[in-house]
Amino acid sequence: MTKIRSSIVFFVIICTSLLYGQKKTLNVKSISSKISIDGKISEDAWNSAEIATDFVMYQPDNGKLISENKKTEVRVVYDNDAIYIAATLYDENPAKIKKEITNRDVFGVSDYFAIFINGFNDGQQDFRFYVTSAGVQLDCIATEDNKDFSWDAIWDSKVVITDKGWVVEMKIPYAAIRFPNSNKQTWGINFLRNIQRDVQVYSWNRIDTKIGAELTQNGLLEGIENIKTPTRLFFIPYASVYYQKDKFQSDKTFKGGVDIKYGISDAFTLDAILVPDFGQTKFDNAILNLEPFEQQLNENRPFFTEGTELFSKGNLFYSRRIGGYPSSEPELKENEKITDYPSTVDLLNAIKISGRTKKGLGIGFLNALTEKTYATIKDTVAMATRKEVIEPLANYNIVVLDQRFNQNSSVTFINTNTIRNGSFRDANVAGLLFDLNTKKNSYSLNGDFKYSSVNTIDDYDGYKTALNFEKTSGKIRYEVSGKYISENYDVNDLGLIYYTNYHNAYGNASYRILNPTSVFNTFKVVQEASLEIQNTTGKVQDDYLKVTIGASSLKNTYYEFSLLYTPKPTFDFYEPRVYGRYVYVPKRVSSYFGFELNRNHAFTVDATVSFAKFDEDDRDTYGIYINPKYRFNNQFSLEYALDYTDKRNDRGRIDNDDSGIVFAERNREILQNTLTGKFAITNRMSLNLDVRYYWSYADNHEFFTLQDDGYLTPNPSYNLNKNRNFNSWNLDLSYSWWLAPGSEMIVLYRNYALEETNQIEKDLSNNLKNVFNSNLINIISLSLRYYIDYNVVKNKF
């Protein structure tokens, strides 16, 4: 009897290993009858479709088979227009299904079903489509390093809650995905199911968490043959009207234009934006920036966020350069002052072409043109005004060639180019990148070489190179890397870089549990070490040891703790803002602890406390972040965030005088309050509120002169007021209606104001009063975008 039991156990283990070790295959059939996307799965075509079932847990207990009462069945069929998916998601208690209604691309507290599609089956990029149990659509382009939810495709879905669980039907047009031009298609595919109340995620083809590469673990979709896809040509015309009023004037503006999407082939798409309008994009978070570097801003313009995976290779593309701050300052004569200096440059038009060939070569091209921009200058004696060009007509373009191979490796060439009309500076950057992975995705070797060239009065060039080796699978993982950046490496015409002229060595090692224990659902500890040396002087500009521990409890509360120690003094080569100068920074220790409660609760909160202690008298920093959220019901929720930082005896450059570069010891406080509200009328219509109030000051109380050796000596004679007090207010209240697939109407009320002075005001109520008494700008706008499919129009006429 013992031998029989042993044989059965051995047989089950072998079968399970074979099941998990092989990719599952789903065969699909073509259909000629119409599928109605109504969530009912009533058409005869579904009866003959092969069923994908036997889902396996992805998180938290990786590899565990789904229970019978959570059984999931998926069917797929296709025609010349699209693929169709029908999923039946059984649940023993449908009343407990989580189904918060959110805005598009927001998961919320909801169950969801997803399909991952890789038309090239190369293990490197998925098109992912999600539908929540509330009927909300989400979609993204996924790579191993990034999930780009700013990408929005046009597809259809419908959800129905039943007495046995819930059902979802989806129609994904071929225009929404990319695949090779072949008579027979083999796609990478996977299905995902999230059961929110249990915080469990299941996949059809097992995603083994011992392997770091997730995208290589799709199953296979076979059977799509001889499809004749329709012309992929889409027009998105828009019209917008704005009314703006402030203390001094009011203005009405009307804008109209069109975006065009054209499928050059099944794999390549052209996107063009003509007469752009970004008036309703999210506001920028203005701050009191006392750092030696510009503030990095988020990209909120859809054209520059959607489908830009190829262009983000190598981190050479910072899209806010296009239509951003002018690149030069006007030269002023005696008695002249600037009366108007535009903060942005108008974008005239932009196009991008991207796709991938059958042999895995990705090709991307982006081109944008910006308008000539002037500053207005006034002679305060003669009272005459003149204009001077601060940004000429400029062209920005990017070319990317990305060759994938072995389903998990790639070699990439990228070139960015900025050409400004006339005698303004031009720039070019070229990069070669590689990412090589072993067949089992256990180890990775990646690196790059980049070369920059700037053409200005004094031409200069530079380079950057890096090499990185990682163990990417198993409970124990590690990474070692080295990097060298030359002094004149400059990508800031179309990219963004702060630090140059240094070399760096970095390493980390981590341990993680891959399945729940009696204490944790997940657990990870990471140890890091880094040393950064400035090339010219050989001085250390960064040096740290760091440990981070992250864990989630069995009740799905997440905790994280980190401790960073800089054991020796370092030198900052940027804060003096003078070439060749540097300032001493004492050794220091910093830490934070944070937690996030299970998001399934109606009331939840996440919070972080932090501190940094310098080896200098009374110099330290404390911070607290707290973010409570209350979900009143599936439609209405409010979220508040408080972010407060207190810097005692901080030090930074403020001026130059006869003694040299002047530094100040100062106290700083930074307070940011944000309030976010959502009321979902339906899963296609909602009211949204975004409010942000930011206040910060810098109160200087002791002054120093920077010495040549980087140390500071007292400067008791300095008496200029270089204090700063800064207030920023933004409010957005919007009504959004997705009136048809890809078509949206938005009514937006916005008001905002900035107030900046050198008189410190530490009373919060007075600061609020001051910012509201400043020039508060009010804007109300209406925008309508409508999606037109050429094939629909052609068939109608």
Side-chain angles (χ1 to χ4, degrees), residues 317-360:
F317 180 39
Y318 175 46
S319 59
R320 290 299 295 261
R321 295 288 183 218
I322 301 174
Y325 202 72
S327 62
S328 68
E329 298 279 348
E331 294 185 6
L332 299 180
K333 301 174 184 177
E334 188 177 358
N335 301 321
E336 286 189 331
K337 68 175 183 178
I338 299 172
T339 58
D340 181 36
Y341 187 93
S343 60
T344 59
V345 176
D346 287 340
L347 175 66
L348 294 174
N349 57 65
I351 65 167
K352 61 186 176 189
I353 299 172
S354 61
R356 194 168 294 275
T357 69
K358 183 179 179 180
K359 294 185 178 180

Side-chain angles (χ1 to χ4, degrees), residues 82 89 202 262 274 303 332 336 351 354 357 489 493 586 653 743 764:
L89 305 106
Y202 294 86
Y262 174 62
L274 308 176
F303 179 85
L332 299 180
E336 286 189 331
I351 65 167
S354 61
T357 69
Y489 179 68
D493 289 84
R653 179 197 181 278
S743 305
L764 183 60

Side-chain angles (χ1 to χ4, degrees), residues 561-579:
F561 168 79
S562 183
L563 179 67
L564 184 148
Y565 176 53
T566 299
K568 294 182 179 180
T570 58
F571 291 87
D572 186 335
F573 289 81
Y574 299 91
E575 184 61 34
R577 297 139 205 235
V578 174
Y579 176 78

Side-chain angles (χ1 to χ4, degrees), residues 293-418:
F293 309 112
E294 63 181 292
Q295 179 187 355
Q296 184 173 359
L297 300 171
N298 293 328
E299 180 57 87
N300 300 312
R301 300 169 295 178
F303 179 85
F304 294 107
T305 60
E306 296 176 355
T308 56
E309 178 267 334
L310 273 175
F311 304 108
S312 63
K313 295 279 186 179
N315 295 317
L316 293 177
F317 180 39
Y318 175 46
S319 59
R320 290 299 295 261
R321 295 288 183 218
I322 301 174
Y325 202 72
S327 62
S328 68
E329 298 279 348
E331 294 185 6
L332 299 180
K333 301 174 184 177
E334 188 177 358
N335 301 321
E336 286 189 331
K337 68 175 183 178
I338 299 172
T339 58
D340 181 36
Y341 187 93
S343 60
T344 59
V345 176
D346 287 340
L347 175 66
L348 294 174
N349 57 65
I351 65 167
K352 61 186 176 189
I353 299 172
S354 61
R356 194 168 294 275
T357 69
K358 183 179 179 180
K359 294 185 178 180
L361 176 62
I363 302 173
F365 173 75
L366 185 148
N367 192 84
L369 190 67
T370 58
E371 193 170 24
K372 182 186 289 188
T373 305
Y374 297 87
T376 302
I377 301 165
K378 184 176 181 178
D379 188 318
T380 57
V381 176
M383 303 306 289
T385 61
R386 66 182 178 90
K387 291 183 179 294
E388 184 171 323
V389 177
I390 52 176
E391 181 70 22
L393 188 72
N395 181 267
Y396 301 84
N397 67 71
I398 307 172
V399 176
V400 185
L401 301 174
D402 177 56
Q403 179 64 60
R404 296 174 179 170
F405 54 93
N406 293 344
Q407 294 202 342
N408 63 2
S409 300
S410 64
V411 175
T412 306
F413 171 79
I414 182 169
N415 182 266
T416 69
N417 193 56
T418 304

Side-chain angles (χ1 to χ4, degrees), residues 3-13:
K3 289 183 178 180
I4 294 174
R5 275 201 207 97
S6 300
S7 299
I8 292 172
V9 170
F10 178 76
F11 178 75
V12 169
I13 291 172

Side-chain angles (χ1 to χ4, degrees), residues 476-721:
I476 298 176
R477 305 181 190 185
Y478 56 82
E479 175 185 357
V480 291
S481 67
K483 177 167 56 177
Y484 184 93
I485 300 181
S486 71
E487 181 176 6
N488 290 326
Y489 179 68
D490 186 352
V491 301
N492 282 317
D493 289 84
L494 196 44
L496 180 66
I497 190 170
Y498 291 148
Y499 297 93
T500 61
N501 196 27
Y502 71 89
H503 54 281
N504 167 269
Y506 171 84
N508 74 47
S510 64
Y511 171 81
R512 65 201 70 205
I513 65 167
L514 301 174
N515 294 84
T517 68
S518 58
V519 180
F520 301 113
N521 261 344
T522 64
F523 177 85
K524 180 172 70 173
V525 56
V526 182
Q527 299 180 71
E528 302 173 66
S530 179
L531 176 64
E532 199 166 278
I533 298 175
Q534 207 257 358
N535 294 332
T536 305
T537 63
K539 292 184 177 296
V540 175
Q541 69 176 23
D542 195 21
D543 176 24
Y544 67 82
L545 302 169
K546 182 180 181 182
V547 60
T548 304
I549 301 172
S552 60
S553 71
L554 297 179
K555 293 186 177 181
N556 293 294
T557 294
Y558 181 75
Y559 303 91
E560 186 166 292
F561 168 79
S562 183
L563 179 67
L564 184 148
Y565 176 53
T566 299
K568 294 182 179 180
T570 58
F571 291 87
D572 186 335
F573 289 81
Y574 299 91
E575 184 61 34
R577 297 139 205 235
V578 174
Y579 176 78
R581 302 297 299 274
Y582 48 86
V583 62
Y584 159 88
V585 182
K587 59 184 180 179
R588 53 208 176 271
V589 61
S590 62
S591 180
Y592 70 82
F593 171 74
F595 68 88
E596 180 179 351
L597 296 181
N598 188 333
R599 286 285 180 179
N600 282 338
H601 303 313
F603 175 78
T604 185
V605 64
D606 60 272
T608 303
V609 293
S610 60
F611 81 90
K613 179 65 178 175
F614 291 78
D615 187 22
E616 205 164 61
D617 289 343
D618 299 320
R619 182 176 176 182
D620 43 48
T621 299
Y622 299 94
I624 182 169
Y625 173 82
I626 184 165
N627 175 210
K629 177 181 179 181
Y630 189 74
R631 193 174 69 257
F632 295 87
N633 53 43
N634 286 330
Q635 293 174 275
F636 179 43
S637 65
L638 284 174
E639 182 175 355
Y640 169 73
L642 169 71
D643 194 351
Y644 174 75
T645 303
D646 184 10
K647 296 186 175 185
R648 300 286 96 184
N649 298 315
D650 177 52
R651 291 187 175 185
R653 179 197 181 278
I654 60 165
D655 201 2
N656 272 46
D657 69 0
D658 293 339
S659 67
I661 301 172
V662 179
F663 273 65
E665 186 173 86
R666 59 206 181 189
N667 292 332
R668 295 187 61 192
E669 287 186 83
I670 304 165
L671 174 67
Q672 179 171 277
N673 295 271
T674 57
L675 177 66
T676 304
K678 178 262 312 180
F679 180 74
I681 302 167
T682 70
N683 57 21
R684 296 179 182 272
M685 188 184 298
S686 63
L687 290 168
N688 296 282
L689 175 69
D690 286 291
V691 182
R692 175 182 181 265
Y693 171 63
Y694 172 95
W695 165 52
S696 181
Y697 70 82
D699 188 4
N700 304 317
H701 55 258
E702 191 170 352
F703 303 99
F704 305 88
T705 298
L706 179 65
Q707 304 301 302
D708 290 339
D709 62 1
Y711 289 84
L712 301 175
T713 59
N715 183 347
S717 63
Y718 189 86
N719 58 7
L720 297 180
N721 184 356

Side-chain angles (χ1 to χ4, degrees), residues 125-404:
Q125 178 180 282
D126 286 350
F127 292 87
R128 297 186 173 182
F129 304 86
Y130 303 76
V131 183
T132 75
S133 51
V136 177
Q137 290 185 347
L138 306 90
D139 43 23
C140 75
I141 295 177
T143 60
E144 289 297 345
D145 299 324
N146 184 48
K147 293 179 178 61
D148 179 12
F149 280 93
S150 65
W151 174 77
D152 286 329
I154 309 301
W155 49 290
D156 199 9
S157 62
K158 181 67 176 179
V159 164
V160 173
I161 305 293
T162 71
D163 58 355
K164 294 182 180 179
W166 60 293
V167 174
V168 58
E169 271 189 310
M170 306 164 67
K171 176 185 177 181
I172 301 176
Y174 297 125
I177 54 180
R178 303 290 177 267
F179 50 87
N181 183 16
S182 300
N183 290 332
K184 292 187 176 183
Q185 302 282 334
T186 298
W187 295 355
I189 197 166
N190 213 345
F191 308 107
L192 210 69
R193 179 184 180 182
N194 172 68
I195 302 173
Q196 183 63 31
R197 70 177 181 275
D198 298 328
V199 195
Q200 294 176 347
V201 183
Y202 294 86
S203 64
W204 171 60
N205 199 80
R206 185 189 179 191
I207 303 172
D208 190 345
T209 53
K210 291 194 298 294
I211 300 171
E214 176 185 310
L215 272 68
T216 62
Q217 300 186 67
N218 286 339
L220 300 176
L221 184 76
E222 295 184 341
I224 297 179
E225 298 181 358
N226 301 316
I227 52 175
K228 297 179 181 179
T229 56
T231 301
R232 291 194 293 122
L233 177 59
F234 312 102
F235 302 93
I236 306 101
Y238 75 86
S240 302
V241 60
Y242 298 86
Y243 175 72
Q244 178 173 322
K245 181 177 176 58
D246 58 28
K247 277 187 177 181
F248 307 104
Q249 60 185 353
S250 62
D251 185 36
K252 296 177 182 177
T253 306
F254 176 82
K255 294 183 179 181
V258 63
D259 297 351
I260 300 173
K261 295 180 182 290
Y262 174 62
I264 301 171
S265 68
D266 290 336
F268 285 85
T269 300
L270 179 147
D271 292 90
I273 181 169
L274 308 176
V275 196
D277 174 29
F278 302 123
Q280 289 193 331
T281 55
K282 181 176 171 57
F283 54 78
D284 290 325
N285 291 338
I287 63 171
L288 174 59
N289 184 15
L290 301 181
E291 305 303 317
F293 309 112
E294 63 181 292
Q295 179 187 355
Q296 184 173 359
L297 300 171
N298 293 328
E299 180 57 87
N300 300 312
R301 300 169 295 178
F303 179 85
F304 294 107
T305 60
E306 296 176 355
T308 56
E309 178 267 334
L310 273 175
F311 304 108
S312 63
K313 295 279 186 179
N315 295 317
L316 293 177
F317 180 39
Y318 175 46
S319 59
R320 290 299 295 261
R321 295 288 183 218
I322 301 174
Y325 202 72
S327 62
S328 68
E329 298 279 348
E331 294 185 6
L332 299 180
K333 301 174 184 177
E334 188 177 358
N335 301 321
E336 286 189 331
K337 68 175 183 178
I338 299 172
T339 58
D340 181 36
Y341 187 93
S343 60
T344 59
V345 176
D346 287 340
L347 175 66
L348 294 174
N349 57 65
I351 65 167
K352 61 186 176 189
I353 299 172
S354 61
R356 194 168 294 275
T357 69
K358 183 179 179 180
K359 294 185 178 180
L361 176 62
I363 302 173
F365 173 75
L366 185 148
N367 192 84
L369 190 67
T370 58
E371 193 170 24
K372 182 186 289 188
T373 305
Y374 297 87
T376 302
I377 301 165
K378 184 176 181 178
D379 188 318
T380 57
V381 176
M383 303 306 289
T385 61
R386 66 182 178 90
K387 291 183 179 294
E388 184 171 323
V389 177
I390 52 176
E391 181 70 22
L393 188 72
N395 181 267
Y396 301 84
N397 67 71
I398 307 172
V399 176
V400 185
L401 301 174
D402 177 56
Q403 179 64 60
R404 296 174 179 170

